[in-house]
Amino acid sequence: MSRVSNAQLPGHEVKDLGLASHGKLRIEWAEAQMPVLRLIRSRFGLERPLEGLRIAACLHVTSETANLVLTLKAAGAEVYLCASNPLSTQDDVAASLVVDGGVSVYAIKGEDNETYYRHIESVIGSLPQLTMDDGADLVSTLHQRHPDLLGGVVGGTEETTTGVIRLRAMAADGALKYPIIAVNEADTKHFFDNRYGTGQSTLDGILRATNILLAGSTFVVAGYGWCGRGVAMRARGMGANVIVTEVDPVRAIEAVMDGYRVMKMANAATIADVILTTTGDVNVVNQVHISMLKDGVIVANAGHFNDEINIPALEAAAIETRMVRDFVREYRLGDGRRVYLLADGRLVNLSAAEGHPASVMDMSFANQALSAEHMVEHSQELQCQVYVVPRDIDQEIARLKLHSLGIEIDELTPEQQRYLTSWQSGT
Ligand SMILES: NC(=O)c1ccc[n+]([C@@H]2O[C@H](COP(=O)([O-])OP(=O)(O)OC[C@H]3O[C@@H](n4cnc5c(N)ncnc54)[C@H](O)[C@@H]3O)[C@@H](O)[C@H]2O)c1
């Protein structure tokens, strides 16, 4: 148990402060693989670019996020953290952030919807000047329930594809009341985090939950975006026969030329051993598909929200449900078929495993930290819109990552620079 009395600690609601020492070790393990963020933290410690700034952050509470939060603290910010998904919190990390980091954390793994939103309200109670969101639940709650606080917010950042889509919809409606930087749109974010991070950690989540053999299985990936490409690539690497479903003809033809079978979900559902959705869309595995699934199929989701699989339809079709392993719920249907849903259809990589490896989150969270600094420096010039991460930040993060890996690349010579900006010389 923790020897720190509650009175000395910042405001919090976490599962068990006694888990702090274990969480601290995990935060240190992640830190060792986050060299770019460490460099930024050192500079922030000297320059204090976020001095006194109140940041409300709604992010997956993982060991990597803890390193981001400690970096923001080193820059002088006060950080108030809640979870961006009810199942993604690492309780020991949350405890260590409170006890060792002095950070206000409101997050408990497995919290119900009411608690999830109460925790978002708790961080809003800090009267934030900057928001850091993953999925836009914080920004949406702030705008809908606390319009009086919007004037005090200089700007925000958004981590994921689904959040960026929601925020662009808010901007198009004229509803967005402060500028946002879409961290997801940085090349050093989605090329790596969405593709290699989701690719690896999604398989990790499926395997930790089920321990199935992927080799020889028929593995359906719904959505061939950045995440879907990664999952398909890694599943094939482990010997699965991968099928892709898509609605975008360009992405579909890309999947074909990458060597996958592409078909409608209605056809894929009849032969799948595993179905993994990662589209950011709703009802991708629908009631009709559920009626066609093979006995014993495993269904999981890596998209942001738990509405890609029609869980109410699955529940309606079931005559019995039971938990058969951690994160594995069996639905026995009227005709005797069994369907296994992982992690209640929530992000399987963060629920049943630990989310992305720290090495990839190093770049994503370097983007978050530098975008927060950029937002504070430039908030006066920005409109109530969604902005991409400035190109120089993106390039600098890639440069630092390469440097940390000990990899050097060529530079353009003056002759090459002239050549690449000229039009006169041809064949
Ligand atoms: N699990 C994680 O850790 C993690 C990490 C990053 C992003 N995400 C989330 O994953 C989702 C996908 O992100 P992304 O970056 O790959 O997005 P993306 O926009 O690059 O790709 C999504 C793809 O899904 C396709 N799609 C849409 N509706 C479909 C349908 N009904 N059937 C089949 N395909 C369909 C789109 O055409 C698109 O190609 C988002 O919700 C995002 O927020 C999760």
Side-chain angles (χ1 to χ4, degrees), residues 271-287:
I271 50 177
D273 296 311
V274 181
I275 301 181
L276 184 278
T277 54
T278 182
T279 67
D281 197 359
V282 67
N283 217 5
V284 178
V285 176
N286 64 27
Q287 192 176 9

Side-chain angles (χ1 to χ4, degrees), residues 60 160-163 165 184 189-190 193-194 198 201-202 222-229 245-248 251 278-284 302-305 308 347-350 356:
H60 300 301
T160 198
T161 317
T162 286
I165 290 170
N184 185 70
K189 200 282 185 180
H190 62 263
D193 169 319
N194 301 30
T198 312
S201 61
T202 296
Y224 202 62
W226 289 107
C227 295
R229 290 178 181 111
T245 73
E246 250 299 343
V247 292
D248 178 329
R251 296 263 167 105
T278 182
T279 67
D281 197 359
V282 67
N283 217 5
V284 178
H304 190 77
F305 287 120
E308 302 211 13
L347 299 154
V348 69
N349 57 328
L350 281 142
H356 298 357

